[in-house]
Amino acid sequence: MAKVKGPTPQSQDFSQWYLDVIQMAELADYAPVRGTIVVRPYGYALWENIQRVLDEKFKETGHQNAYFPLFIPMSFLQKEAEHVEGFSPELAVVTHAGGEELEEPLAVRPTSETIIGYMWSKWIRSWRDLPQLLNQWNNVVRWEMRTRPFLRTSEFLWQEGHTAHATKEEAEAETARMLGVYVDFARNFAALPVIPGQKTAREKFAGAVYTTTMEAMMKDGRALQAGTSHFLGQNFARAFEITFQDKDLKEKHVWTTSWGLSWRIIGGIIMTHGDDKGLVLPPKLAPIQVVIVPIYKAETKARVLDAARALEAELKALGIRVHTDERDQYTPGFKFNDWELKGVPYRVELGPRDVEAGTAVLASRLGGKESLDLKALAALMPEKLEAFQQALFERALDFRKAHTRVTDDYEAFKDAVAEGFALAYHCGDAACEKAIQEETRATARAIPLEFPAFGVLQDDEALKETSEGRCVRCGREAAYGRRIVFARAY
Ligand SMILES: [Zn+2]
């Protein structure tokens, strides 16, 4: 009898558990070129749901999708000094094409600020051409030596938003608004209790004035940067001469932003919610929200399948993503394990006796089974899926709080980052920040911040406190006026 072999237990080897789950749940597989992966249909369906939700939010906030080319002249990347320095080590460059050496090498886009900046310098003439609110869904290449599906890959899928504005205030508001969109998505769709904040100067995006971020905690206590929104000031506007004539008839440089969220968020969902049985997917993003497993013998097959298909139709009519597992070659037990591995939130078990009694068994991926009236089941599901979504978020938030320590002592700080987040004061000196990384392998993840107007709030009182203190490592006067989040990160 075929049996589903489970993933390596998390407690034994979290890293191996992650790789096992990705393979076994058929999310992705390794491709022939190191650093690249194949996203399989189940993984891609998850990505499509992420895209659909975010795309709607981008459009609601006034953005339009466009597409810019994969190849970028090398000279473009060199125009913004910090930008080229930051990206050079990861660039893939095309030097030959069509059987000839190219006059100018072409970078395979690592991100599109430069090419969009170049086009804006042609498109933007007057204040009437502003703001520019663009987004593109695409792939980018940043060379990696080690592959970790969805977390570290040379080529990855993401969206990159790019906007240009007439004023600094407007561009900063946009930066905050899009972080708000990401935080809302992470918390209310991916069920990730993310901490919104600003990156330290050492950790910001190459070319940005400042970078805002949202940081999630994985089940091994490490941090995952789940999305970033950058205020670019006039850095790219100056590099690409993006100017406009303002209402006062003066020629001015525009103010730009960029913001991105990649398939890393899939890694975040896996490592925040998964358990020893496999994935646990948030209902709002799960490719399948309810799976029906009919249980029958030859003589009861027709009756059971009829009832299963009727239930499936009812659930579909309610807008629920449902699948009936009619595979004859597998036992019900195999199917139960298989769908648990794939993280489907609810499973309906339907056998001949259930059909006769007008009942069905509903099993939650978070544990627990109940026998329900078959006729009433479908109508109960929207509320149950909502409760599942909420429970998943609460569980992750409790975990994060339990693994976050407020500390003023460097030894305690070292213990804290070994198992989770440390909230500590820091002097703001990049050299001291670097020393912390060398001594503890932890980096500054975020200076917690809030933008109430854009829905960016903290979900833990400890992250809201503002006060003065001394650097946890060097004892000098702290910068930032609050404790910042340190952690080992993916
Ligand atoms: Zn210090």
Side-chain angles (χ1 to χ4, degrees):
M1 191 189 298
K3 197 172 181 312
V4 178
K5 182 183 160 291
T8 303
Q10 289 185 334
S11 57
Q12 191 183 313
D13 185 346
F14 190 80
S15 175
Q16 192 56 49
W17 169 85
Y18 178 76
L19 299 176
D20 286 353
V21 163
I22 283 173
Q23 291 271 347
M24 291 175 175
E26 298 182 342
L27 292 177
D29 204 350
Y30 298 99
V33 175
R34 192 164 60 172
T36 64
I37 59 168
V38 175
V39 182
R40 302 184 67 177
Y42 193 61
Y44 203 78
L46 179 56
W47 178 240
E48 283 180 316
N49 287 343
I50 292 168
Q51 279 189 306
R52 186 173 42 76
V53 173
L54 280 171
D55 200 62
E56 200 170 292
K57 289 178 184 292
F58 298 156
K59 285 168 183 162
E60 275 168 13
T61 44
H63 303 84
Q64 289 180 305
N65 285 332
Y67 187 77
F68 293 82
L70 176 66
F71 300 117
I72 300 177
M74 272 304 284
S75 57
F76 280 27
L77 285 151
Q78 282 149 1
K79 280 182 198 269
E80 215 289 331
E82 242 185 54
H83 193 63
V84 69
E85 195 192 315
F87 280 102
S88 280
E90 314 178 327
L91 280 186
V93 181
V94 180
T95 55
H96 289 75
E100 289 173 23
E101 185 169 352
L102 298 174
E103 253 173 66
E104 180 180 358
L106 302 173
V108 181
R109 86 180 143 226
T111 177
S112 301
E113 278 76 7
T114 59
I115 191 146
I116 292 176
Y118 172 80
M119 295 312 295
W120 275 342
S121 72
K122 294 170 174 279
W123 295 343
I124 299 170
R125 290 280 169 262
S126 128
W127 60 272
R128 294 178 193 85
D129 301 323
L130 296 170
Q132 292 278 327
L133 304 173
L134 300 178
N135 176 62
Q136 67 171 336
W137 290 96
N138 63 21
N139 56 340
V140 288
V141 169
R142 298 178 188 175
W143 215 251
E144 284 287 350
M145 290 304 157
R146 288 182 307 145
T147 314
R148 243 183 128 59
F150 301 117
L151 300 174
R152 250 171 214 290
T153 49
S154 290
E155 179 190 10
F156 60 86
L157 298 185
W158 75 339
Q159 58 69 217
E160 46 176 321
H162 295 269
T163 68
H165 307 263
T167 66
K168 178 172 185 271
E169 292 67 33
E170 219 185 278
E172 291 202 90
E174 168 77 4
T175 308
R177 176 181 301 112
M178 298 323 286
L179 181 67
V181 165
Y182 287 159
V183 169
D184 171 42
F185 170 77
R187 289 183 179 162
N188 299 318
F189 290 83
L192 305 178
V194 291
I195 298 175
Q198 188 169 318
K199 287 289 183 189
T200 61
R202 183 169 182 260
E203 298 284 334
K204 75 178 170 72
F205 175 74
V209 173
Y210 62 79
T211 288
T212 61
T213 181
M214 56 176 186
E215 301 286 322
M217 182 189 280
M218 305 297 98
K219 269 194 175 162
D220 61 352
R222 285 169 73 181
L224 183 95
Q225 178 181 301
T228 47
S229 178
H230 317 290
F231 172 61
L232 305 174
Q234 294 177 310
N235 293 349
F236 286 90
R238 280 196 218 95
F240 287 89
E241 277 306 310
I242 315 168
T243 60
F244 70 104
Q245 192 179 57
D246 207 349
K247 287 176 187 165
D248 59 12
L249 302 181
K250 285 190 181 133
E251 198 70 12
K252 297 175 185 173
H253 284 101
V254 300
W255 300 81
T256 66
T257 80
S258 67
W259 26 277
L261 182 146
S262 79
W263 70 18
R264 274 174 79 87
I265 197 110
I266 293 178
I269 290 167
I270 298 169
M271 291 191 290
T272 300
H273 304 309
D275 60 21
D276 283 349
K277 291 180 180 172
L279 298 173
V280 179
L281 295 180
K284 286 189 180 170
L285 298 177
I288 298 170
Q289 296 170 312
V290 178
V291 65
I292 302 169
V293 180
I295 304 160
Y296 50 77
K297 293 208 171 67
E299 62 273 21
T300 52
K301 182 174 177 178
R303 255 188 303 148
V304 173
L305 279 185
D306 276 353
R309 286 169 189 164
L311 177 62
E312 182 185 279
E314 272 188 83
L315 289 165
K316 265 194 187 141
L318 290 168
I320 292 169
R321 295 188 286 274
V322 54
H323 171 72
T324 304
D325 188 348
E326 297 191 15
R327 294 177 293 180
D328 267 335
Q329 69 273 36
Y330 295 120
T331 65
F334 176 95
K335 292 177 182 179
F336 294 173
N337 287 335
D338 191 32
W339 295 113
E340 282 181 348
L341 181 56
K342 289 196 164 77
V344 175
Y346 283 102
R347 174 178 79 233
V348 177
E349 305 169 8
L350 195 57
R353 262 180 291 171
D354 297 304
V355 175
E356 212 161 290
T359 61
V361 172
L362 183 72
S364 165
R365 182 61 181 82
L366 290 176
K369 277 189 184 193
E370 54 184 331
S371 181
L372 295 169
D373 181 12
L374 186 53
K375 283 208 179 71
L377 192 145
L380 293 172
M381 288 320 294
E383 204 175 302
K384 286 193 177 288
L385 288 163
E386 193 58 48
F388 189 107
Q389 179 84 26
Q390 194 56 35
L392 209 53
F393 177 81
E394 295 296 339
R395 187 173 80 166
L397 180 59
D398 288 347
F399 182 88
R400 196 195 80 205
K401 286 181 176 173
H403 292 81
T404 300
R405 268 195 265 170
V406 174
T407 175
D408 296 314
D409 172 72
Y410 199 42
E411 289 311 309
F413 174 97
K414 288 177 186 169
D415 291 341
V417 298
E419 57 179 44
F421 290 2
L423 274 177
Y425 290 110
H426 189 258
C427 60
D429 177 5
C432 178
E433 210 179 306
K434 184 165 177 249
I436 288 180
Q437 182 175 9
E438 284 161 3
E439 288 156 12
T440 71
R441 290 193 285 130
T443 49
R445 303 313 306 159
I447 305 155
L449 54 73
E450 299 197 300
F451 297 109
F454 301 108
V456 179
L457 294 167
Q458 298 298 344
D459 47 24
D460 184 346
E461 291 303 315
L463 296 160
K464 296 182 187 177
E465 273 172 36
T466 54
S467 53
E468 303 301 320
R470 301 243 147 223
C471 177
V472 70
R473 181 180 167 276
C474 70
R476 280 179 287 175
E477 197 181 320
Y480 315 120
R482 59 177 69 228
R483 291 170 187 279
I484 71 174
V485 180
F486 282 90
R488 292 176 186 164
Y490 280 96

mmCIF file of all heavy atoms in Angstrom, residues 426-427 432 471 474 476, ligand 1:
data_model
loop_
_atom_site.group_PDB
_atom_site.id
_atom_site.type_symbol
_atom_site.label_atom_id
_atom_site.label_comp_id
_atom_site.label_asym_id
_atom_site.label_seq_id
_atom_site.Cartn_x
_atom_site.Cartn_y
_atom_site.Cartn_z
ATOM 1 N N HIS A 426 20.285 50.816 20.008
ATOM 2 C CA HIS A 426 21.527 50.786 19.248
ATOM 3 C C HIS A 426 22.002 52.204 18.962
ATOM 4 O O HIS A 426 21.191 53.111 18.757
ATOM 5 C CB HIS A 426 21.365 50.008 17.938
ATOM 6 C CG HIS A 426 22.657 49.773 17.245
ATOM 7 N ND1 HIS A 426 23.072 50.514 16.164
ATOM 8 C CD2 HIS A 426 23.675 48.912 17.531
ATOM 9 C CE1 HIS A 426 24.275 50.106 15.806
ATOM 10 N NE2 HIS A 426 24.669 49.135 16.613
ATOM 11 N N CYS A 427 23.338 52.351 18.924
ATOM 12 C CA CYS A 427 23.939 53.683 18.747
ATOM 13 C C CYS A 427 23.767 54.251 17.340
ATOM 14 O O CYS A 427 23.945 55.443 17.118
ATOM 15 C CB CYS A 427 25.425 53.614 19.084
ATOM 16 S SG CYS A 427 26.312 52.456 18.010
ATOM 17 N N CYS A 432 29.433 49.543 14.500
ATOM 18 C CA CYS A 432 28.931 48.794 15.663
ATOM 19 C C CYS A 432 27.890 47.768 15.213
ATOM 20 O O CYS A 432 27.859 46.641 15.701
ATOM 21 C CB CYS A 432 28.343 49.765 16.693
ATOM 22 S SG CYS A 432 27.653 48.963 18.151
ATOM 23 N N CYS A 471 23.311 52.001 23.792
ATOM 24 C CA CYS A 471 23.532 50.914 22.827
ATOM 25 C C CYS A 471 23.825 49.597 23.546
ATOM 26 O O CYS A 471 24.681 49.535 24.434
ATOM 27 C CB CYS A 471 24.689 51.257 21.897
ATOM 28 S SG CYS A 471 25.091 49.927 20.739
ATOM 29 N N CYS A 474 27.783 48.767 22.627
ATOM 30 C CA CYS A 474 28.910 49.643 22.950
ATOM 31 C C CYS A 474 28.615 50.630 24.079
ATOM 32 O O CYS A 474 29.529 51.301 24.561
ATOM 33 C CB CYS A 474 29.375 50.382 21.709
ATOM 34 S SG CYS A 474 28.219 51.630 21.139
ATOM 35 N N ARG A 476 27.192 53.430 24.020
ATOM 36 C CA ARG A 476 27.050 54.843 23.652
ATOM 37 C C ARG A 476 25.563 55.211 23.609
ATOM 38 O O ARG A 476 24.693 54.351 23.586
ATOM 39 C CB ARG A 476 27.684 55.102 22.275
ATOM 40 C CG ARG A 476 29.189 55.257 22.314
ATOM 41 C CD ARG A 476 29.755 55.478 20.924
ATOM 42 N NE ARG A 476 29.724 54.244 20.136
ATOM 43 C CZ ARG A 476 30.068 54.179 18.854
ATOM 44 N NH1 ARG A 476 30.427 55.275 18.193
ATOM 45 N NH2 ARG A 476 30.049 53.026 18.210
HETATM 46 ZN ZN ZN B 1 26.860 50.696 19.461
#
